[in-house]
Amino acid sequence: MRANANTLRLYLIVVLVVAAVLSVVGNKSHSPFLGWLSFAVFLGAVLLYFTWRRTTLRERRARVFDREAKTDETGTRTDQ
C-alpha cells in the first residue's frame, strides 16, 4: 500500500522534528551516541524527502486534463 503525498509530508515533518530534538538532547548531554542517532534519523528524513517528491510528481502526473469532459455532448453547439 502506498501512502499519498500529504501523509508522507506529515511523516517527513515528524521525522525532522525527532532528529532536531535528538540533536539538541545529544549536544546538551554531550552524548556522541545521541549525536550519531540524530544524524541517522536525519539521513532517514532525507530519504523520506525524495520519496515524498517522487510521490508528489507521480500524483500530479496521474491527473489528466480532458477538454471533452467539460463539454455537454447533448447540447447544441454554436456551429450547428
Side-chain angles (χ1 to χ4, degrees):
M1 185 172 105
R2 289 186 174 161
N4 65 7
N6 290 332
T7 305
L8 286 175
R9 185 176 63 195
L10 180 65
Y11 290 159
L12 176 61
I13 292 168
V14 168
V15 170
L16 284 172
V17 168
V18 168
V21 168
L22 283 174
S23 178
V24 169
V25 170
N27 285 334
K28 293 287 184 181
S29 66
H30 303 290
S31 171
F33 174 73
L34 286 179
W36 281 104
L37 184 62
S38 69
F39 181 70
V41 172
F42 176 75
L43 287 180
V46 170
L47 292 175
L48 190 58
Y49 170 77
F50 289 118
T51 304
W52 170 67
R53 287 301 301 157
R54 278 186 279 140
T55 304
T56 303
L57 289 173
R58 184 173 46 243
E59 287 179 3
R60 190 173 296 151
R61 289 177 183 151
R63 294 186 199 121
V64 177
F65 179 71
D66 186 11
R67 290 181 188 263
E68 295 298 320
K70 291 187 174 187
T71 61
D72 185 11
E73 294 296 326
T74 59
T76 59
R77 296 189 329 209
T78 57
D79 62 343
Q80 289 182 343

